[in-house]
Amino acid sequence: MPVFIQFLCGLLFGAGLIVSDLANPPTLLGFFDIAALATGGWDPTLLFGLIGAVGVTFVGYRIVFARHRPIYAERFELPSATKIDARLLTGAALFGLGWGIAGLCPSPAVTVLGFGGMKAITYATALLGGMFLARTLATHLAARAV
Amino acid sequence: MISDFHPIPALVGGAMIGLASVMLMAFAGRIAGTSGIAQRLFPPYVDNVMPGRIAYLAGLIAAPGAMMLAGLAKSGPQIDAGLPLLLFAGALVGFGSVWGNGCTSGHGVCGIARLSIRSFAAAGTFTAAAMVSTYIVRHVL
């Protein structure tokens, strides 16, 4: 049952990406293209999508965190880091540079696999390769630091 | 190049994304961050919740088919970049999202909703960086 509910969560998330058009690269690139602010073609879809998403999550998390634990797990797994460090900003900058080239961040990159096509498969493969590299590098650095 | 802007579907779709994120926390106690979930397909393996991760990613992949069956998806995405650029961009996005501990879903939605200062910094950084590379690709190259 918990696994099926996680499938439904992914399904709903992906459906939201499609409804909002946020799984479509021109929509993202139209938001990033600030030069279009002057010429009138700027696309605020990402802003509206994030307002809807963050608004619902902000309220919903408060209701959920009022409980002691999740329904099917021992505890809430939340990030413990609180400091802004160079690694956070470097990673975010590299991620953003790639995002602005293709217009696909990880959630849409996985979702568009469902539409099929060579481009979607190529992009998702490169994405997973980059993740594997970073995860492996991070593990080695952590092992050396001990 | 120019896409249509529809504010109501953008807000509704965003709300669906938010609801999915709240449900994942309520049921599984997990942040709905796609890069965090996908990167843990790779070692090191430190927990035993892999079936849930795979189910979540399978749900994302099943969404286009479900939406097309329901008659709600018009067409597939328009990916203009060629394969070499897609390989380069995909690797950057994959590496950067792991190095920076999150992507648009983890930092941009869940982290900001938790008022995490790291997520505000990351979201501001990756959005600004995306504006730079879009500018370079569209107006410089």
Side-chain angles (χ1 to χ4, degrees), chain A residues 10-142:
Chain A
L11 190 66
L12 180 61
F13 195 112
L17 285 173
I18 294 168
V19 168
S20 60
D21 207 34
L22 289 175
N24 195 27
T27 302
L28 281 297
L29 300 176
F31 176 83
F32 298 141
D33 189 4
I34 47 173
L37 277 170
T39 52
W42 186 66
D43 187 335
T45 301
L46 178 62
L47 191 62
F48 278 67
L50 281 178
I51 288 170
V54 172
V56 168
T57 309
F58 181 83
V59 174
Y61 269 8
R62 262 134 205 89
I63 298 168
V64 170
F65 290 146
R67 296 173 46 97
H68 293 293
R69 48 171 285 192
I71 296 166
Y72 292 123
E74 298 280 315
R75 59 183 174 277
F76 298 110
E77 302 284 349
L78 300 173
S80 53
T82 52
K83 269 189 11 205
I84 297 170
D85 50 28
R87 182 150 152 183
L88 177 80
L89 299 179
T90 307
L94 293 174
F95 162 51
L97 289 173
W99 193 20
I101 293 172
L104 288 164
C105 57
S107 310
V110 175
T111 302
V112 300
L113 279 175
F115 285 110
M118 196 58 207
K119 287 189 168 183
I121 293 168
T122 301
Y123 190 77
T125 305
L127 181 92
L128 288 171
M131 285 181 169
F132 175 74
L133 190 64
R135 195 163 166 81
T136 305
L137 186 59
T139 307
H140 277 285
L141 290 178

